[in-house]
């Protein structure tokens, strides 16, 4: 990831910019009015809307885009990591293990290409090995390789996906476990933060993949070390509940204290959104833009839109906070409209491309947010956005063997490189957008599960194997684990990976403190079929969260009818986008928390009501900011004492808690 601008600035210049921070507000306002008015008025922005028939045509065009790039990789670069699409050659950029192929596996499945998916899975299982001497990025290896292997494994091993491979015998799961074992030493640091020069995103964006692996292998060590890393970062947040961009893993000191939603921090928010959202909206949000501030004072230090921020509106949609997402997306897209692509950096004070950040490396974030906003609103404005993005890629980035990075968004000069995430994310979200409009025909919309999208856009189904510990038998035909307290209890494949590092989790409890092992005492071992105690929604694969009003009702009927022996009340928090957010079943507080930190003891599902933007109270003046900072600090000290006296611990994680 590119380094943000402040690293290159001299201290005197940085102080000068801080003193002039009041002057940033006017350019924000002027830029917002000048650039995004048309985007918020569909009639003024687009002459012709995308019809359903055109959406089908655009979907097919995106599919052709995928195969132009994928076939170019397979013909000219495979088995090297990535394609050089101008020269039609390959390069090893990560570790030398067919990165682009692994990153593309679940996209092949999404497109329904069973023949190529089968062949690719078979090749990876037979040929990829990690017993090589390489220095790799833990973050990139995790999201691209480990995530790609796990997603493809879950698709290839399940008949319900329609992509089950008859000869498949967990080869990708074995590879994933082997890879994760080789990455574990990176967490052996005094702070338990991941080794390397650790960005907040790099140290805090590992739990989903490692957590899923723990659930599949019945070995809790993977999830435990990555959760410790996230907790270590969050424990070192400032009194304003902000985190910086880089941290020293040996001392725990922040080495770059600029807080933002973009470069070096971005995906951290995907895991701790409930905890960090209020502070982000209060200190970073200058509607509709976001800036970088000092994590301790809240003072603006960098008025910059960088392209990695573009994921944020999509994340807000998942949180149920759609209105600010609409405004921010319109602002971000206005930059795309101005140049045909989004540069890595766009200076909000000067309304120009930031020097040294002129490129567009085929990033997916704006397209990702466009997909989620269309899914939430069904506003055809977002299909027009998708059409414009597709046209830019086709006319500006297409090259002989694939799609090229744009080295300068003003000249549209091409660069001979194509990152694997172009096929894993950029094309995937663009195809999903048009397929949703055309009448969805894919496993995400029509399949047997709800899917979680990882940071790299990999599809991870919310099956019983990877669901929360308190969730059992979510769909008809599931394997029900009737014996709690034995690790994760995930089926036959889990037994293949147990080792000395396996530490079983404690028996989880319901809000009534009744252990699930007692509740499921009539279901010992693994039982194939419809499990007892499921609502209709749970049998269809919809997850539930046990809120404080959940109860277990015993039915006095015959024991022969196990399906009606008891009912677990489902508490599903559905958003307008049809996305279900799952929170950990812990006892909820009855009173609304008074501070950000005290929220962590509550069972919070992020909704439009529960996630407050608090933008109206955000101060624009330095003197007010000082007062607010002092007030926040005083309130936090009070809350810290309250929490310490109660012995409370924060809950962690958006996906696996």
């Amino acid at each position: 990831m590119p380094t943000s601008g402040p690293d290159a600035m001299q201290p005197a210049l940085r102080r000068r910019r801080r003193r002039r921070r009041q002057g940033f507000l006017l350019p924000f306002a002027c830029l917002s009015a000048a650039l995004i008015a048309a985007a918020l008025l569909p009639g003024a922005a687009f002459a012709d809307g995308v019809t359903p028939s055109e959406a089908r045509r655009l979907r097919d065009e995106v599919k052709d885009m995928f195969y132009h790039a994928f076939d170019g990789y397979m013909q000219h670069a495979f088995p090297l990591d990535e394609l050089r699409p101008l020269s039609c050659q390959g390069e090893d950029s990560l570790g030398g293990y067919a990165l682009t192929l692994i990153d593309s596996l679940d996209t092949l499945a999404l497109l329904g290409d069973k023949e190529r998916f089968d062949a690719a899975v078979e090749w990876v299982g037979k040929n990829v090995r990690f017993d090589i001497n390489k220095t790799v990025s833990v973050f990139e290896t995790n999201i691209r390789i480990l995530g790609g292997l796990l997603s493809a494994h879950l698709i290839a091993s399940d008949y319900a996906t329609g992509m089950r491979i008859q000869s498949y015998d967990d080869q990708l799961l074995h590879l994933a476990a082997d890879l994760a074992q080789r990455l574990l030493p990176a967490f052996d640091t005094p702070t338990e933060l991941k080794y390397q020069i650790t960005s907040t995103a790099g140290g805090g964006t590992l739990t989903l993949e490692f957590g899923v692996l723990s659930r599949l292998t019945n070995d809790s060590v993977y999830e435990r070390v990555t959760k410790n890393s996230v907790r270590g970062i969050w424990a070192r947040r400032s009194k304003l509940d902000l985190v910086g961009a880089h941290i020293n893993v040996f001392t725990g000191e922040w080495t770059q204290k600029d807080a933002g939603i973009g470069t070096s921090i971005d995906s951290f928010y995907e895991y701790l959104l409930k905890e960090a959202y209020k502070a982000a909206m209060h200190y970073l949000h200058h509607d509709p833009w976001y800036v970088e501030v000092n994590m301790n004072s809240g003072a603006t230090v960098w008025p910059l839109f960088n392209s990695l921020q573009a994921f944020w509106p999509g994340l807000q949609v998942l949180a149920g906070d759609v209105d600010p997402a609409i405004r921010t997306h319109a602002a971000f897209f206005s930059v795309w409209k101005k140049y045909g692509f989004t540069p890595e950096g766009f200076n909000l004070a000067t309304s120009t491309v930031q020097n040294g950040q002129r490129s567009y490396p085929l990033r997916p974030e704006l397209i990702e947010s466009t997909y989620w906003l269309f899914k939430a609103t069904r506003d055809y404005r977002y299909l027009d956005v998708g059409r414009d993005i597709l046209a830019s890629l086709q006319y500006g980035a297409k090259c002989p063997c694939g799609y090229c990075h744009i080295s300068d968004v003003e000249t549209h000069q091409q660069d001979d490189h194509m990152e694997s995430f172009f096929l894993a994310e950029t094309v995937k979200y663009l195809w999903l957008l048009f397929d949703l409009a055309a009448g969805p025909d894919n496993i995400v919309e029509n399949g047997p599960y709800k899917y979680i999208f990882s940071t790299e856009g990999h599809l991870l189904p919310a099956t019983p194997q990877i669901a929360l510990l308190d969730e059992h038998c979510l769909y008809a035909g599931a394997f029900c684990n009737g014996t709690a307290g034995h690790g994760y209890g995930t089926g036959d494949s889990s037994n293949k990976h147990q080792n000395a590092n396996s530490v079983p989790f404690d028996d989880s409890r319901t809000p009534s403190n009744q252990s699930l092992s007692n509740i499921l005492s009539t279901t010992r071992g693994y039982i194939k079929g419809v499990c007892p105690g499921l609502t209709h929604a749970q049998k269809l694969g919809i997850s539930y969260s046990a809120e404080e009003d959940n109860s277990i009702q015993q039915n006095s009927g015959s024991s022969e009818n196990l399906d009606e022996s008891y009912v677990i009340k489902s508490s599903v928090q559905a958003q307008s986008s049809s996305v279900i957010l799952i929170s950990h079943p812990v006892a909820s507080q009855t009173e609304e928390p008074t501070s950000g930190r005290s929220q962590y003891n509550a069972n919070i599902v992020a909704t439009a009501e529960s996630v407050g933007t608090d933008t109206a109270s955000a101060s624009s003046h330095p003197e007010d900011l000082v007062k607010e900072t002092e007030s926040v600090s005083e309130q936090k000290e009070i809350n810290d004492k309250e929490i310490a006296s109660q012995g409370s611990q924060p809950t962690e994680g958006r996906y696996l808690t």
Side-chain angles (χ1 to χ4, degrees), residues 255-331:
T255 58
Q256 186 178 348
K257 299 180 181 180
D258 297 346
I261 63 167
T263 302
S264 299
I265 304 178
D266 50 356
S267 53
F268 177 80
Y269 287 103
E270 295 176 349
Y271 287 78
L272 293 186
L273 182 66
K274 295 182 296 185
E275 292 84 346
Y277 188 72
K278 185 176 181 181
M281 294 300 288
H282 185 87
Y283 295 105
L284 310 179
H285 188 215
H286 289 252
D287 199 354
W289 304 97
Y290 291 81
V291 299
E292 294 183 13
V293 306
N294 181 277
M295 64 180 288
N296 295 314
S297 69
T300 300
V301 296
W302 196 240
L304 186 76
F305 159 64
N306 69 67
S307 60
L308 289 172
Q309 292 179 354
F311 86 105
W312 186 258
L315 189 61
Q316 288 182 303
V317 168
L318 295 176
D321 203 7
V322 177
D323 288 341
I326 291 173
R327 295 193 299 273
T328 294
H329 178 275

Side-chain angles (χ1 to χ4, degrees), residues 200-367:
T200 299
T205 313
L206 305 164
T207 309
L208 181 56
E209 291 84 1
F210 274 69
V212 167
L213 182 62
S214 280
R215 308 300 169 91
L216 295 176
T217 62
N218 203 29
D219 188 343
S220 64
V221 65
Y222 309 116
E223 183 171 350
R224 187 172 67 251
V225 297
T226 53
K227 279 191 172 181
N228 286 345
S229 182
V230 175
R231 292 187 181 110
I233 292 174
W234 186 241
R236 292 167 174 84
R237 67 195 183 278
S238 73
K239 293 181 179 180
L240 305 183
D241 280 345
L242 296 174
V243 293
H246 289 92
I247 191 168
N248 186 311
V249 300
F250 296 103
T251 67
E253 297 295 323
W254 292 99
T255 58
Q256 186 178 348
K257 299 180 181 180
D258 297 346
I261 63 167
T263 302
S264 299
I265 304 178
D266 50 356
S267 53
F268 177 80
Y269 287 103
E270 295 176 349
Y271 287 78
L272 293 186
L273 182 66
K274 295 182 296 185
E275 292 84 346
Y277 188 72
K278 185 176 181 181
M281 294 300 288
H282 185 87
Y283 295 105
L284 310 179
H285 188 215
H286 289 252
D287 199 354
W289 304 97
Y290 291 81
V291 299
E292 294 183 13
V293 306
N294 181 277
M295 64 180 288
N296 295 314
S297 69
T300 300
V301 296
W302 196 240
L304 186 76
F305 159 64
N306 69 67
S307 60
L308 289 172
Q309 292 179 354
F311 86 105
W312 186 258
L315 189 61
Q316 288 182 303
V317 168
L318 295 176
D321 203 7
V322 177
D323 288 341
I326 291 173
R327 295 193 299 273
T328 294
H329 178 275
F332 292 172
F333 180 60
S334 70
V335 178
W336 182 288
K337 291 283 286 185
K338 183 176 182 177
Y339 299 107
F341 302 99
T342 48
E344 289 291 80
F346 180 78
N347 193 302
L348 300 176
T350 62
S351 301
T352 59
V353 177
Q354 182 67 26
N355 288 333
Q357 300 185 33
R358 310 184 68 84
S359 66
Y360 169 68
L362 304 176
R363 292 202 184 277
E365 285 79 11
L366 183 61
I367 302 167

Side-chain angles (χ1 to χ4, degrees), residues 485-546:
H486 298 283
Y488 291 104
T490 56
D492 293 339
S493 65
S494 67
N495 297 327
K496 301 176 183 179
H497 300 279
Q498 294 183 16
N499 55 42
N501 293 322
S502 179
V503 180
F505 276 20
D506 292 335
D507 196 4
S508 53
R509 302 278 174 175
T510 66
S512 62
N513 290 326
Q514 185 177 9
S515 71
L516 285 169
S517 58
N518 291 334
I519 295 172
L520 297 175
S521 59
T522 58
T523 314
R524 293 294 177 185
Y526 298 101
I527 298 178
K528 186 73 172 177
V530 179
C531 306
L534 299 185
T535 67
H536 176 70
Q538 291 160 17
K539 291 176 183 177
L540 295 180
I542 301 176
S543 300
Y544 70 93
S545 62

Side-chain angles (χ1 to χ4, degrees), residues 449-486:
Y449 314 115
K450 298 294 180 182
Y451 280 85
I452 299 167
F453 287 77
S454 73
T455 296
E456 185 75 2
H458 288 306
L459 307 176
L460 297 169
T463 66
Q465 284 184 302
I466 65 174
L468 299 178
L469 287 173
D470 290 13
E471 295 181 309
H472 291 251
C473 319
L474 298 187
Y475 65 100
F479 282 102
C480 299
N481 178 20
T483 309
H486 298 283

Side-chain angles (χ1 to χ4, degrees), residues 44-77:
F46 308 103
D48 300 307
V50 174
T51 63
S53 60
E54 186 180 4
R56 288 190 289 273
R57 181 188 65 77
L58 292 170
R59 176 191 63 190
D60 294 340
E61 185 177 345
V62 175
K63 185 175 182 179
D64 292 340
M65 170 187 286
F66 172 83
Y67 282 113
H68 174 64
F70 181 78
D71 291 346
Y73 166 75
M74 294 301 296
Q75 293 170 15
H76 303 288

Side-chain angles (χ1 to χ4, degrees), residues 25 108 218 274 321 411 416 419 496 537 624 642 657:
L25 299 178
L108 287 169
N218 203 29
K274 295 182 296 185
D321 203 7
T411 65
D416 193 14
E419 296 251 18
K496 301 176 183 179
D624 293 337
E642 293 176 352
T657 55

